Amino acid sequence: MAEKDVRNKQLLLRHYVSGFPKESDMFVSSDSTIKLKLGDESKGVVLVKNLFLAADPHLRPLMQKDDKFSVSQSFTPGSPLYGFGVAKVLDSKHQDFQEGDYVWGVTGWEEYSIISSPENLFKIHHHTDVPLSYYTGILGMPGLTAYSGFFEVCGPKKGEYVFVSAAAGAVGQLVGQFAKLIGCYVVGSAGSKDKVDLLKSKFGFDEAFNYKEEHDLDAALKRYFPQGIDIYFELVGGKMLDAVLMNMRVHGRIAVCGMISQYTKEEHEGIKNTACLIYKRIRMQGFNVVDYYPLYPKFLEFLLPQIRNGEISCVEDIVGGLENGAAALVRVFNGHNIGKQVLSLMNDE
Amino acid sequence: MAEKDVRNKQLLLRHYVSGFPKESDMFVSSDSTIKLKLGDESKGVVLVKNLFLAADPHLRPLMQKDDKFSVSQSFTPGSPLYGFGVAKVLDSKHQDFQEGDYVWGVTGWEEYSIISSPENLFKIHHHTDVPLSYYTGILGMPGLTAYSGFFEVCGPKKGEYVFVSAAAGAVGQLVGQFAKLIGCYVVGSAGSKDKVDLLKSKFGFDEAFNYKEEHDLDAALKRYFPQGIDIYFELVGGKMLDAVLMNMRVHGRIAVCGMISQYTKEEHEGIKNTACLIYKRIRMQGFNVVDYYPLYPKFLEFLLPQIRNGEISCVEDIVGGLENGAAALVRVFNGHNIGKQVLSLMNDE
Ligand SMILES: NC(=O)c1ccc[n+]([C@@H]2O[C@H](COP(=O)([O-])OP(=O)(O)OC[C@H]3O[C@@H](n4cnc5c(N)ncnc54)[C@H](OP(=O)(O)O)[C@@H]3O)[C@@H](O)[C@H]2O)c1
Ligand SMILES: NC(=O)c1ccc[n+]([C@@H]2O[C@H](COP(=O)([O-])OP(=O)(O)OC[C@H]3O[C@@H](n4cnc5c(N)ncnc54)[C@H](OP(=O)(O)O)[C@@H]3O)[C@@H](O)[C@H]2O)c1
């Protein structure tokens, strides 16, 4: 008997976006169906049930027609979004995966996905003491980003002065904790009092400030770093980058990880203080976590014990159901998320 | 009998400068006198006769009251300029130097200088087949800048695509030749047809273009680098940097050496394409030649034979007499110099 088609609810892009993303830029549809068994023609392919989807900032650039900077293909209006997520394998025609495996990697914003390049999936050796959702954040792509960006790109040394922007977010909160772990002095910026408190009380940042309350970012940085900044972990871009450049120390390093403040702008703001790079001999280095995937096993080995013994922790912001997917994404750009913004599909029947 | 005072002609800063430097911003004075013998109180000091002075671009930032970026002390109105030069030791109270030695390093824009930190002077083991003036350029600070910036900062590999701005200048012409030497494809930009011809005919650049004739720098770079740029040797800043960022290849490197187009601006232009650093994983690194002084002997060992056998050459633009010093400096900013702009004091009686 042929396998029955089941509903496959999806979150689709309604139209190309400019400026801030709005909930109405996306819509949920239950029109799509899928067979929950792969046919013999599906060689090398994996069928998954999606459990958690990551509302990652990089989805916004993919929502516009031509992003001047991006090297990835934009989303297509009328098609579902895709991005990082955690999923359970329902059927597999790929030798590395079996029914029942848990995986993380790029999947669709939908109940079920057919993944045709499973080489880019990571198998989760499920540790029942660690929430599965962590593989969208601290144990997944953002975690590896913080780890490789901080340890590999920044080359940090004990006692150095570290500044992290968007510090309460998925990547930022981890960078700050890594920096404390090796004995750096760490200050973070974030967009609300609650986040600032969290940074200091939960994540052990030495100081933190609300950038929205500082009309003079240069003055704020001089207050927190009278001696200057050795390492800046860049997550926001724009005015903050310009202010940081003026406050770097000689031989400082800037890991350019993200520029979320610019993703919603028609034209990026101009950075006026790049001459600081010369006078202070600064290394400013962009990176992409995909180049560091080979480090993933080493990263897990380092991080899992620290999560278990409570030395490193994380905060997640979990919203449930594809109907709330668009709202979850919008939160990342208005800063309403505290910690990794996750969309859970666990209760989608 | 006490040593007689002799005239010490000087080029002095008249007032702080903003915008383009003008000849009238400086003036020559013969009011100063000096004794050509050091007294016993002058421990550790060296007295020199200046032979060649380098009209280096970095003198311009020192002519303004507060340069936002510079970490060096500005010149003082009413005092002589100082910068790199070649000189002959007339008297020495420092163990490392003797009367008759030739040296290069920081000295005054005047006939005679008393150098109180001779630790920063390099002794010239005078090779009579190489002009002494070369120690203001190819064999001096700009030469070491090109060498350390290209080999140490850029990490070039055979076959890579290299772009050099201000390519006909002291640093640029050498960077291009180094790049050809190791088998890179090299394109340079400069501000006149003569310079463009020089780059291709004398210095072996694969291509060169006049940036003043390109109203769309992005299009020009796409024409010369359809496959993109691996290495950019940055000497000018501003619009050129923005255009280059859009044309870098993945894992490209930018050595940020100078930004001469910005030195004469009240406020630096904003760079709008820094997001390219992330997507293309670019390393953009500022450097200062002073950090590479320990490489100087290795550099000489590498370069002297190549100069002698004609594999590497240079063009100098020598103007004579302190009266022409201000004009020589101005030329560097209107681009009238072709190659290293030198002021010779050899004929000053
Ligand atoms: N290079 C890579 O491989 C790589 C990998 C992962 C992530 N990233 C980048 O890293 C950055 C952080 O990602 P994440 O997952 O950790 O996100 P996140 O921090 O969890 O969420 C985004 C946060 O950014 C802040 N934000 C939003 N708009 C802002 C603005 N205009 N100015 C300043 N802050 C703003 C908000 O917090 P506030 O309340 O503080 O405003 C928001 O909570 C993003 O730029 C992302 O693109 C890069
Ligand atoms: N980081 C370090 O340690 C270090 C050491 C030495 C030098 N530098 C820097 O390296 C750069 C080059 O120095 P150099 O000694 O080799 O000087 P140079 O190239 O011999 O002379 C300066 C040249 O710059 C060009 N220029 C002037 N204004 C310009 C503008 N607005 N836009 C584009 N090009 C312009 C002119 O040539 P065109 O006809 O092509 O316009 C001029 O001939 C300078 O920025 C300098 O500050 C840095």
Side-chain angles (χ1 to χ4, degrees):
Chain A
M1 201 187 81
E3 184 73 18
K4 241 183 55 194
D5 285 340
V6 302
R7 178 200 72 185
N8 189 17
K9 214 194 300 178
Q10 301 179 312
L11 182 71
L12 304 98
L13 184 68
R14 191 185 298 277
H15 43 231
Y16 290 121
V17 175
S18 67
F20 273 89
K22 301 180 302 296
E23 291 189 40
S24 59
D25 295 330
M26 296 154 263
F27 69 102
V28 172
S29 161
S30 296
D31 293 349
S32 201
T33 59
I34 191 167
K35 285 194 198 337
L36 296 189
K37 198 105 198 114
L38 293 170
D40 288 335
E41 73 291 353
S42 306
K43 272 214 186 68
V45 158
V46 166
L47 169 74
V48 300
K49 160 107 182 73
N50 294 308
L51 305 177
F52 296 101
L53 296 170
D56 281 321
H58 77 263
L59 300 189
R60 169 61 192 81
L62 301 182
M63 288 182 185
Q64 70 199 57
K65 194 169 165 64
D66 298 299
D67 179 31
K68 187 174 163 187
F69 301 110
S70 178
V71 288
S72 316
Q73 184 75 43
S74 294
F75 295 141
T76 309
S79 292
L81 311 188
Y82 46 81
F84 287 90
V86 170
K88 186 174 182 173
V89 176
L90 297 186
D91 196 4
S92 169
K93 299 281 178 191
H94 189 288
Q95 57 186 24
D96 294 349
F97 299 94
Q98 293 198 327
E99 187 188 330
D101 282 350
Y102 289 96
V103 293
W104 74 265
V106 174
T107 186
W109 281 56
E110 54 194 357
E111 290 174 289
Y112 306 98
S113 294
I114 288 173
I115 298 179
S116 50
S117 310
E119 301 73 29
N120 299 323
L121 289 181
F122 289 89
K123 214 185 305 200
I124 298 174
H125 302 282
H126 192 192
H127 320 280
T128 47
D129 54 342
V130 183
L132 260 181
S133 57
Y134 276 22
Y135 291 88
T136 63
I138 187 169
L139 291 174
M141 184 281 284
L144 185 60
T145 301
Y147 177 81
S148 52
F150 186 63
F151 291 113
E152 302 288 318
V153 179
C154 295
K157 289 188 286 290
K158 188 178 165 176
E160 286 193 316
Y161 296 92
V162 176
F163 177 53
V164 188
S165 52
V171 177
Q173 58 180 237
L174 206 45
V175 171
Q177 291 178 86
F178 288 154
K180 285 312 302 171
L181 209 63
I182 65 161
C184 295
Y185 180 85
V186 190
V187 180
S189 65
S192 74
K193 184 177 179 313
D194 286 353
K195 292 187 186 184
V196 166
D197 290 345
L198 189 75
L199 291 175
K200 293 195 280 190
S201 61
K202 186 171 176 78
F203 297 124
F205 282 60
D206 295 286
E207 287 289 350
F209 66 92
N210 181 348
Y211 68 92
K212 291 180 180 165
E213 288 184 348
E214 303 287 345
H215 60 275
D216 183 345
L217 292 173
D218 179 57
L221 291 172
K222 290 202 161 45
R223 208 161 66 232
Y224 290 102
F225 294 99
Q227 66 303 91
I229 299 168
D230 292 300
I231 291 177
Y232 173 46
F233 204 95
E234 167 66 304
L235 296 168
V236 303
K239 289 180 184 55
M240 186 63 94
L241 175 56
D242 245 342
V244 167
L245 281 166
M246 290 304 294
N247 288 281
M248 291 297 289
R249 300 181 90 181
V250 166
H251 294 131
R253 286 135 278 153
I254 300 178
V256 193
C257 178
M259 296 192 168
I260 192 166
S261 78
Q262 305 298 297
Y263 300 169
T264 47
K265 293 207 192 301
E266 280 303 297
E267 183 160 327
H268 284 202
E269 290 169 281
I271 305 300
K272 295 188 171 171
N273 297 331
T274 51
C276 292
L277 298 178
I278 309 172
Y279 294 100
K280 311 272 194 65
R281 298 97 116 174
I282 296 167
R283 172 162 58 84
M284 186 164 162
Q285 186 160 349
F287 74 101
N288 188 324
V289 62
V290 300
D291 291 338
Y292 296 95
Y293 279 180
L295 291 187
Y296 187 67
K298 194 178 147 197
F299 158 76
L300 268 193
E301 206 176 294
F302 166 82
L303 193 57
L304 267 173
Q306 318 242 33
I307 293 177
R308 292 206 170 100
N309 71 20
E311 259 199 274
I312 290 208
S313 61
C314 75
V315 168
E316 300 178 294
D317 197 329
I318 304 189
V319 168
L322 272 171
E323 282 75 9
N324 295 311
L329 261 172
V330 168
R331 286 162 67 82
V332 172
F333 293 91
N334 60 26
H336 288 176
N337 67 313
I338 301 196
K340 178 72 236 162
Q341 182 67 58
V342 184
L343 186 71
S344 166
L345 305 188
M346 290 295 260
N347 295 325
D348 279 29
E349 79 327 347
Chain B
M1 203 188 79
E3 184 73 18
K4 242 181 55 193
D5 285 341
V6 302
R7 179 200 72 185
N8 188 17
K9 215 195 298 179
Q10 301 179 311
L11 183 70
L12 304 99
L13 184 68
R14 191 185 297 278
H15 44 232
Y16 289 121
V17 175
S18 67
F20 274 88
K22 300 180 300 297
E23 291 189 39
S24 59
D25 295 330
M26 295 153 263
F27 67 103
V28 172
S29 162
S30 295
D31 292 350
S32 200
T33 59
I34 191 168
K35 284 193 197 343
L36 296 188
K37 198 104 198 114
L38 293 169
D40 288 336
E41 74 290 355
S42 305
K43 271 213 188 69
V45 158
V46 165
L47 170 74
V48 300
K49 159 104 183 74
N50 293 308
L51 304 177
F52 296 101
L53 296 169
D56 281 322
H58 77 263
L59 300 190
R60 169 61 192 79
L62 301 182
M63 288 182 186
Q64 70 198 58
K65 192 170 166 60
D66 297 300
D67 178 31
K68 186 174 165 187
F69 301 110
S70 179
V71 288
S72 316
Q73 183 76 42
S74 295
F75 295 141
T76 310
S79 292
L81 311 189
Y82 47 82
F84 287 90
V86 170
K88 185 172 180 174
V89 176
L90 298 186
D91 195 5
S92 169
K93 300 280 179 191
H94 190 287
Q95 56 186 24
D96 294 349
F97 300 94
Q98 292 198 326
E99 188 187 328
D101 282 349
Y102 289 96
V103 294
W104 72 266
V106 174
T107 185
W109 281 57
E110 55 194 355
E111 290 173 288
Y112 306 99
S113 294
I114 287 173
I115 299 179
S116 51
S117 311
E119 301 73 29
N120 299 324
L121 289 181
F122 289 87
K123 216 187 304 200
I124 298 174
H125 303 283
H126 192 192
H127 321 279
T128 46
D129 54 342
V130 183
L132 259 182
S133 56
Y134 276 23
Y135 291 88
T136 63
I138 187 168
L139 291 175
M141 184 281 283
L144 185 60
T145 301
Y147 177 82
S148 52
F150 186 64
F151 291 113
E152 303 288 320
V153 179
C154 296
K157 289 187 286 290
K158 189 179 163 172
E160 287 194 315
Y161 296 91
V162 176
F163 177 55
V164 188
S165 53
V171 177
Q173 57 179 239
L174 207 46
V175 170
Q177 291 178 87
F178 287 154
K180 284 313 303 171
L181 209 64
I182 65 161
C184 294
Y185 180 86
V186 189
V187 179
S189 66
S192 73
K193 184 176 179 313
D194 286 352
K195 292 187 186 184
V196 166
D197 291 344
L198 189 75
L199 291 175
K200 292 195 280 190
S201 61
K202 188 173 174 76
F203 297 125
F205 282 61
D206 295 286
E207 287 289 349
F209 66 91
N210 181 348
Y211 68 91
K212 290 179 181 165
E213 289 183 346
E214 303 287 346
H215 60 275
D216 183 345
L217 292 173
D218 179 57
L221 291 172
K222 289 200 161 46
R223 209 161 67 231
Y224 290 103
F225 294 100
Q227 66 303 89
I229 300 167
D230 292 300
I231 291 177
Y232 173 46
F233 205 96
E234 166 68 303
L235 295 168
V236 302
K239 290 181 183 55
M240 186 63 94
L241 175 55
D242 246 343
V244 167
L245 281 165
M246 290 305 293
N247 287 282
M248 291 297 289
R249 300 180 89 182
V250 167
H251 293 131
R253 287 135 277 152
I254 300 177
V256 193
C257 178
M259 296 193 168
I260 192 168
S261 78
Q262 305 299 298
Y263 300 168
T264 47
K265 293 207 192 299
E266 280 302 296
E267 184 160 326
H268 284 203
E269 289 169 280
I271 305 300
K272 294 188 170 167
N273 297 332
T274 52
C276 293
L277 298 178
I278 309 173
Y279 294 100
K280 311 271 194 66
R281 298 94 120 174
I282 296 167
R283 171 162 59 82
M284 186 165 162
Q285 186 160 351
F287 73 101
N288 188 325
V289 62
V290 301
D291 290 338
Y292 297 94
Y293 278 181
L295 292 186
Y296 187 67
K298 193 177 146 198
F299 158 76
L300 269 194
E301 207 176 293
F302 166 81
L303 193 57
L304 268 174
Q306 317 242 35
I307 293 177
R308 291 206 171 101
N309 71 20
E311 260 200 274
I312 291 208
S313 61
C314 76
V315 169
E316 301 179 292
D317 198 329
I318 304 189
V319 169
L322 271 171
E323 282 75 10
N324 295 311
L329 261 171
V330 168
R331 286 162 66 82
V332 173
F333 293 91
N334 60 26
H336 288 177
N337 67 312
I338 302 196
K340 179 72 236 162
Q341 182 66 59
V342 184
L343 186 71
S344 166
L345 305 189
M346 290 296 259
N347 295 324
D348 280 30
E349 77 331 347

